[in-house]
Amino acid sequence: MIIDFHNHIGKGGRTDEPVKHPQTEFNPDELLFKQYGKDIIEKMDRADIERAIVFPFGRSTDGTFRKENDLIFDTCEEHPRLLAFCRLSPKNKGVGELNRCIKKGALGVKLHPRTQAFGLDAPRLFNILRIAEVERLPVLIHSEYIPSEERLRGDVSFTTPVKFIPLARKFPKLNLIVGHLGRHEDRTREKLRNIPNVYFETSTSVHADILLAAAAYGSERILFGSDSPFSHPSVERMKIDILPLEKDEKELILGGNAQRLLNE
């Protein structure tokens, strides 16, 4: 079974005014910041993907993601091939919303420290992770480079993979997933190599990063994801299909590891 571990449902956007191509009707905001159930199912069919994990975009009407998470649950009920993760803001009733979502059937959690402006050492985050560990819910956390200006300012909301190490040790029974592989350096790979409860999701990563991650951690710790609608599942799946790995290793990356984490 092939499972896409990273997809957005609902409506997002970076600007109040949509950006349109001057000579055509092409509207990037319509393609990149909006996706609903039927849209992702069409993409999954095209890429021969059986199941997909879905969660909200980064914007929330009230800061708690309650409305956006409800859309996820409604969409998954309408399309059983979709699997619901809830999105949370530790600063805005994160624990209460997590408990509500667990009762509604959430299978995991998505967090984005930069968008929701929190660091991985935030006590309110620990409260969320403690519950996720008890409930055996995997937690997918956005990860990325720290731009030089933010590094100089000491911006804690940028989450490089090395910042996952204290979390993994504090919550040893919690499965943490580094979104986008974090595009980390070789010295970081060495530090994370022997921390078994940290996994790595591939969406929007380049071929070299995926290959290096598989070599560093083993195919059993890599999860295929597309980050649709920002990328297309067909494009992201091709990155896995062309890896110079054995068939069984690719099967783990494309779905076997996700099945294990989700107890599917």
Side-chain angles (χ1 to χ4, degrees), residues 145-204:
Y145 282 126
I146 302 179
S148 58
E149 60 269 23
E150 279 76 14
R151 186 182 296 117
L152 291 173
R153 290 204 307 263
D155 192 330
V156 298
S157 69
F158 280 87
T159 49
T160 55
V162 72
K163 292 187 177 183
F164 284 69
I165 295 174
L167 286 184
R169 290 174 174 164
K170 187 176 183 66
F171 302 99
K173 295 182 180 180
L174 175 66
N175 290 315
L176 295 163
I177 299 111
V178 177
H180 313 295
L181 297 183
R183 302 176 181 89
H184 43 298
E185 301 169 327
D186 289 342
R187 62 176 179 270
T188 304
R189 293 190 183 96
E190 188 62 36
K191 292 178 180 178
L192 285 161
R193 189 188 306 272
N194 295 317
I195 301 182
N197 60 320
V198 177
Y199 292 76
F200 301 84
E201 180 266 323
T202 64
S203 65
T204 69

Side-chain angles (χ1 to χ4, degrees), residues 93 214 232 253 257:
K93 303 179 181 178
H232 197 288
I253 295 172
N257 296 328

Side-chain angles (χ1 to χ4, degrees), residues 58-75:
R59 287 185 174 182
S60 172
T61 54
D62 66 355
T64 70
F65 287 98
R66 182 185 180 99
K67 178 180 178 181
E68 291 78 12
N69 286 327
D70 280 344
L71 174 62
I72 296 299
F73 294 120
D74 290 344
T75 301

Side-chain angles (χ1 to χ4, degrees), residues 206-237:
V206 300
H207 174 76
D209 282 341
I210 299 172
L211 190 57
L212 287 169
Y217 311 119
S219 56
E220 66 274 9
R221 288 172 62 191
I222 310 298
L223 299 161
F224 160 65
S226 71
D227 197 16
S228 73
F230 300 111
S231 186
H232 197 288
S234 294
V235 174
E236 297 299 321
R237 180 179 170 177

Side-chain angles (χ1 to χ4, degrees), residues 2-19:
I2 298 177
I3 301 175
D4 184 340
F5 214 88
H6 193 141
N7 302 274
H8 300 268
I9 290 289
K11 188 174 182 180
R14 295 177 179 172
T15 60
D16 292 330
E17 293 295 327
V19 178

